[in-house]
Amino acid sequence: MLIHPQFNPIALDLTRFGIPVQIHWYGITYLVAFGLFLWLARLRVRKPWFADAGWTARDVEDLLFFGVLGVVLGGRLGYVLFYKPAFYLANPLEIFSVWKGGMSFHGGLLGVTAAMALFGWLRKRSFWDVTDLIAPCVPTGLASGRIGNFINGELWGRFADPSLPWGMVFPQSGSPLPRHPSQLYEFGMEGVLLFALLWWYGSKPRWAGQVSGAFLMGYGCFRFIAEYFREPDSFLRDLPATTGLSMGQWLCVPMIVGGALVWAWATRRARPVGSTGARA
């Protein structure tokens, strides 16, 4: 049985030197996520079918700007609407208290989707051409975020069998019993494994929409599995008992179904990404 190391959430405290700045590990994981996106997306635009369609490194930088706005605004609004609508309806000013926590991946996904649609409209590019470019570059950012969750000792897992070698006690949970380190499960599944699969799948020309559909299906399936090991939020603990699924799993169902429909539609429609008209 392991015990969570209880990391200091502040990675660098400059207040000791008279500088009013504290750099948190969570902020660093966001920077790592954005840096990985830039690097990977720049590699993607060098692919012949993207380069021939006119994609450049400058486009990647602009995509990151749009994506950051989508993540922050969509993630916060998603948490407000999906998880605690009654609380925020009664306390609307709390919506802006982002420093107190509360972000939703599914809301962030919707926000990024809207941002990419806006980018495509402004640049006169197909929505699917945009999302097929960025989809394989997203899981590394998710992996970085899960490391941040683990460092902060948040979003811990459900209780585990005491004999589980990697069962971990999270003192901040208020219980001395071992739990699943679900943050690391999600790091491995929706981060590393999903990245490997999508990077491989997207390494050859695909019909427009196929890579995006594969991302939706892949993330939805891996997150759905991880939810069996992740402790539900305290205000949603009755939901699995009454419906059989957690809120995270309910939000994954339309992702999986929608991803499958997008992939099937893209395969049947058979329109090449960009302008190459080729498919390996």
Side-chain angles (χ1 to χ4, degrees), residues 29-45 55 57-68 71 112 116 130-142 144 195 199:
T29 63
Y30 266 81
L31 288 177
V32 169
F34 298 148
L36 287 171
F37 176 87
L38 278 176
W39 176 53
L40 293 171
R42 282 172 175 168
L43 292 178
R44 291 277 289 162
V45 297
W55 286 97
R58 179 61 182 271
D59 291 324
V60 171
E61 296 169 3
D62 293 341
L63 275 170
L64 178 62
F65 174 76
F66 277 77
V68 169
V71 167
V112 169
M116 295 304 100
V130 177
T131 56
D132 283 350
L133 169 65
I134 69 169
C137 310
V138 172
T140 53
L142 301 178
S144 182
F195 165 72
W199 194 257

Side-chain angles (χ1 to χ4, degrees), residues 231-251:
E231 179 76 9
D233 291 313
S234 58
F235 51 89
L236 291 173
R237 285 177 181 163
D238 292 337
L239 188 63
T242 55
T243 68
L245 298 176
S246 68
M247 176 59 78
Q249 288 173 317
W250 279 115
L251 294 174

Side-chain angles (χ1 to χ4, degrees), residues 7-133:
F7 298 101
N8 186 338
I10 300 174
L12 183 62
D13 189 356
L14 298 180
T15 58
R16 294 178 297 176
F17 307 101
I19 303 174
V21 174
Q22 291 181 326
I23 300 176
H24 289 70
W25 284 111
Y26 209 56
I28 291 176
T29 63
Y30 266 81
L31 288 177
V32 169
F34 298 148
L36 287 171
F37 176 87
L38 278 176
W39 176 53
L40 293 171
R42 282 172 175 168
L43 292 178
R44 291 277 289 162
V45 297
R46 295 177 189 171
K47 298 288 186 183
W49 54 95
F50 287 119
D52 290 348
W55 286 97
T56 66
R58 179 61 182 271
D59 291 324
V60 171
E61 296 169 3
D62 293 341
L63 275 170
L64 178 62
F65 174 76
F66 277 77
V68 169
L69 290 179
V71 167
V72 174
L73 296 178
R76 183 58 174 172
L77 290 176
Y79 183 80
V80 169
L81 297 174
F82 297 154
Y83 289 90
K84 302 177 73 174
F87 171 79
Y88 288 106
L89 182 62
N91 304 275
L93 293 180
E94 286 293 313
I95 295 175
F96 303 99
S97 301
V98 293
W99 57 87
K100 295 182 181 179
M103 295 286 283
S104 162
F105 166 81
H106 297 89
L109 176 64
L110 292 175
V112 169
T113 300
M116 295 304 100
L118 177 61
F119 177 90
W121 179 73
L122 292 174
R123 298 296 176 86
K124 295 180 172 56
R125 290 190 178 275
S126 162
F127 171 76
W128 299 115
D129 291 346
V130 177
T131 56
D132 283 350
L133 169 65

